[in-house]
Amino acid sequence: MKEHRSLCGTMSATFNGDGGGPDGLGSHRILLERHISSYAGAAGARRLLTIGVNPSKASHLKNDNTITKESKFARAWQMDVLIKANLFGLCSTDPEGLLSVADPTGDPENLDAIVREAKRATIVVACWGGPYGPVALHRLVTRRALQVVCALTEASVQLHVLALTKDGIPRHPLYLKDSSTPVLWSAP
């Protein structure tokens, strides 16, 4: 596992794997961090953790559309730091890519990293979207989401969502209004 930081120190990402990910980095991204305000490094900095399904193209050097949208939310909610975690670590622009590898989670420490960052966060937003088709992908995501939700519940972390799908799944932030605000979520 290797952490990469931008020169200005306001963006970082932790990758592992074979170099097949964004910018030639690891094929799996564990965490992504963006400093939203000048208080990001201060004690008591307000931290937003968002949990998506899997990383796309964002790295320590650039944002993708989801990170850009989540950064807007972080600013609107007066957060100092945005941390992005995902149910799966595999970097893929299409969630169906999760079905093409033996271990889409990519690192046994992924769950530990999610729980660790959730305990440090001011607010934790579940936003993995779905439902996903084909059926095998939907099942894979549902099983992993349950595993993550159970671990966070066991760690006494309160989960929030921005909205739910008709199936009760946390909606992906990219398709929500910029004025959306987090609400407490009791996962089923």
Side-chain angles (χ1 to χ4, degrees), residues 9 17 33 36-37 40-41 44 46 50 66-67 69 79 81 88 91 94 104 124 154-155 160 162 172 177 184 187-188:
E33 180 175 316
I36 303 300
S37 81
R46 294 178 45 83
T50 59
T66 300
I67 297 302
K69 180 77 166 201
M79 295 289 147
V81 180
F88 301 95
C91 296
D94 182 354
V124 179
E154 194 173 291
H160 296 77
L162 298 175
H172 193 284
K177 293 180 180 180
L184 196 57

Side-chain angles (χ1 to χ4, degrees), residues 108-127:
E109 295 177 17
N110 189 350
L111 184 58
D112 292 340
I114 293 170
V115 172
R116 181 183 66 248
E117 291 301 326
K119 287 179 172 181
R120 296 178 63 201
T122 306
I123 189 165
V124 179
V125 177
C127 53

Side-chain angles (χ1 to χ4, degrees), residues 87 126-132 138 141-142 145 161-172 185 188:
L87 300 176
C127 53
W128 44 80
Y132 294 98
H138 179 70
V141 172
T142 300
V161 296
L162 298 175
L164 296 171
T165 67
K166 62 180 174 59
D167 298 315
I169 298 168
R171 296 239 353 237
H172 193 284
W185 181 48

Side-chain angles (χ1 to χ4, degrees), residues 69 72-73 76-77 162 176-182:
K69 180 77 166 201
K72 285 182 187 178
F73 287 139
W77 306 336
L162 298 175
L176 299 174
K177 293 180 180 180
D178 289 349
S179 60
S180 299
T181 56

Side-chain angles (χ1 to χ4, degrees), residues 35-42 79-80:
H35 291 190
I36 303 300
S37 81
S38 59
Y39 297 106
M79 295 289 147
D80 302 308

